[in-house]
Amino acid sequence: LSLMTDLFGNYVVQKFMERGTEEQRAALARSMRGRVFALSLDMYGCRVVQKAIEVIEGELQAALLQELEGHVMKCVRDQNGNHVIQKCIERAPGHTVQFIVDDFLGHVVPLATHPYGCRVIQRILENCRHHQVNMMLNEIVDSTKDLVHDQYGNYVV
């Protein structure tokens, strides 16, 4: 695990995830269990988590994502963690990331005007199905007038 948060070691782990066998990748992903949230907030660890989400699929990927439940807002507002949440939305099946969408409900406008939150909302709108984002869209539409004038909110609109 110390390699995952190391300036150079994280690249070694990422390459291993890219080039390793499915079994080796799964073993690496299992070694991250219980640490996904902490790694997501780390400058180098977040890159390893993103790579894992990219190359791991199925139940193991879902297990990694589950560790972020209850920590979505902290990740979204973090300079490193927001990239992990974006990768989850881009690479995981819609039902697996529903907890992220649900956490945004009621907070869409403040997150749309946040430098990292606006990026995550854009990924949600690009990658999730209409039935998943319908309530988010209602919040955006209700505040369109304010969002178009905001330096970050205009990207969401």
Side-chain angles (χ1 to χ4, degrees):
L1 285 176
S2 62
L3 278 179
M4 293 180 186
T5 57
D6 183 77
L7 172 64
F8 302 109
N10 82 88
Y11 292 108
V12 173
V13 176
Q14 287 181 68
K15 283 297 175 191
F16 198 78
M17 282 199 183
E18 278 179 19
R19 310 244 182 225
T21 66
E22 190 173 331
E23 195 173 285
Q24 290 167 331
R25 282 185 269 202
L28 258 179
R30 283 191 297 273
S31 76
M32 295 168 60
R33 282 198 172 156
R35 301 255 333 211
V36 174
F37 174 57
L39 288 167
S40 296
L41 301 183
D42 183 82
M43 182 186 309
Y44 306 114
C46 74
R47 297 172 187 178
V48 172
V49 175
Q50 289 175 74
K51 184 57 72 177
I53 292 165
E54 201 173 294
V55 301
I56 304 293
E57 296 177 343
E59 290 179 21
L60 191 50
Q61 182 193 59
L64 294 176
L65 268 63
Q66 264 183 336
E67 290 192 33
L68 297 173
E69 283 192 54
H71 304 290
V72 172
M73 289 303 147
K74 175 76 173 155
C75 287
V76 167
R77 291 185 172 104
D78 183 79
Q79 65 182 344
N80 304 307
N82 82 86
H83 295 288
V84 171
I85 299 295
Q86 288 183 64
K87 186 62 74 174
C88 292
I89 294 162
E90 291 169 351
R91 300 301 289 228
H95 68 278
T96 310
V97 296
Q98 186 62 48
F99 73 95
I100 296 171
V101 177
D102 292 344
D103 278 3
F104 269 66
L105 297 179
H107 307 283
V108 173
V109 174
L111 289 168
T113 58
H114 186 275
Y116 308 137
C118 73
R119 295 179 196 165
V120 177
I121 291 174
Q122 289 175 66
R123 296 300 87 71
I124 290 171
L125 297 176
E126 292 165 358
N127 293 282
C128 293
R129 297 188 178 273
H130 183 73
H131 73 274
Q132 288 181 282
V133 300
N134 195 35
M135 292 190 342
M136 281 183 69
L137 288 171
N138 289 338
E139 288 185 50
I140 293 168
V141 168
D142 290 345
S143 299
T144 300
K145 196 173 186 180
D146 295 325
L147 291 174
V148 296
H149 297 291
D150 184 81
Q151 63 179 334
Y152 302 112
N154 74 87
Y155 293 106
V156 172
V157 176

